[in-house]
Amino acid sequence: MTAAARPRFPVVLTVLAVLLLGVLLALGTWQVQRMQWKEGLMDGAEAAAGQPPLPLAEALKLENPEFRRVLLTCRGLSAAPYVELQSIEHSDAGVRLVSACAVEGGRTLLVDRGFVSAEISSRPPVKADDTMPVVITGVLRRAPAPSALTPPPAEGRFYGRDAEAMARVLKVEGPISPFTVFALTSTNPDWVALKPSAPPAAFTNNHLGYALTWFGLAAALIAFYVVLLRRRMTRKDTET
């Protein structure tokens, strides 16, 4: 075989394969990083849940106060106006009652007072002039933004936890905290239909599986490239 007849190296194919390989490896590495980040969140949530409750003001000074149990004092909370958030708890349809509470620093924080089954038509009393302090234990959580598919609120009932929109309906003036307190103790002990609770942390950690998928595709690409290159070079040798 002369030098002119030697098989030409597939430069374009190699460049494309290298670029695609880089993308697959980058995606796999990103999923590994996401897995480590998610594991950190889960560990942090578990550690926070096991610590004693802090006064709300102290908890909000923490670098990451989410999932911390807090003590909250709020005037008139047991008779405060509320919005209803459509919800399901233990396969039971109903609503969660969400009220506003003014906290130190001129900021307002939403309080999820608990779940009421759809079978219950009555509601706690609302008295604008009630200023009796109510002390509850709760859990701090960030309010997740509703998705684009979430129906808009209607007649005081919400279908997504839109803190800004809830604050407007509740006629809150000034800034609203990005955190919501989920009551663990009742704001209305004499009204047993109200079930205070914090929804479980919705953590899913499938990132290892995603990472293995991307790395597997990278390995398959390498194998495919090697086989294709060998066939190309062998075919050229045969033709020569």
Side-chain angles (χ1 to χ4, degrees), residues 56-97:
L56 177 66
E58 293 184 21
L60 291 175
K61 294 178 182 178
L62 298 174
E63 181 178 355
N64 182 18
E66 190 166 15
F67 302 109
R68 284 303 302 263
R69 287 194 297 157
V70 296
L71 293 173
L72 170 67
T73 301
C74 186
R75 290 189 173 275
L77 184 58
S78 61
Y82 55 81
V83 295
E84 298 184 358
L85 174 64
Q86 193 74 29
S87 184
I88 295 178
E89 187 163 315
H90 304 301
S91 301
D92 185 14
V95 296
R96 300 186 72 91
L97 306 186

Side-chain angles (χ1 to χ4, degrees), residues 157-223:
R157 177 167 295 191
F158 283 75
Y159 300 91
R161 199 175 287 276
D162 188 335
E164 295 289 343
M166 288 180 174
R168 287 194 296 270
V169 172
L170 293 170
K171 299 180 180 180
V172 171
E173 297 181 359
I176 186 78
S177 172
F179 292 98
T180 294
V181 171
F182 286 83
L184 298 179
T185 55
S186 183
T187 60
N188 301 75
D190 55 340
W191 200 68
V192 296
L194 180 63
K195 308 293 185 183
S197 64
F203 287 125
T204 57
N205 192 1
N206 301 320
H207 299 291
L208 177 59
Y210 298 149
L212 292 176
T213 298
W214 291 121
F215 288 140
L217 289 173
L221 174 64
I222 293 173

Side-chain angles (χ1 to χ4, degrees), residues 10 21 27 32 35 58 68 71 105 150 181 190 199 221 230 240:
L21 179 63
L27 289 170
V32 170
M35 178 184 68
E58 293 184 21
R68 284 303 302 263
L71 293 173
T150 301
V181 171
D190 55 340
L221 174 64
R230 292 183 63 181
T240 304

Side-chain angles (χ1 to χ4, degrees), residues 91-158:
S91 301
D92 185 14
V95 296
R96 300 186 72 91
L97 306 186
V98 181
S99 297
C101 177
V103 296
E104 294 180 10
R107 175 170 289 190
T108 300
L109 183 143
L110 296 181
V111 179
D112 187 312
R113 295 162 60 182
F115 178 82
V116 181
S117 173
E119 298 177 355
I120 306 297
S121 59
S122 61
R123 295 289 185 267
V126 175
K127 299 178 182 178
D129 59 348
D130 191 331
T131 58
M132 180 68 67
V134 176
V135 181
I136 62 169
T137 300
V139 176
L140 272 178
R141 297 281 291 273
R142 288 188 181 274
S147 71
L149 300 177
T150 301
E155 300 180 355
R157 177 167 295 191
F158 283 75

Side-chain angles (χ1 to χ4, degrees), residues 41-60:
L41 280 183
M42 295 168 68
D43 292 342
E46 184 177 352
Q51 295 178 355
L54 286 174
L56 177 66
E58 293 184 21
L60 291 175

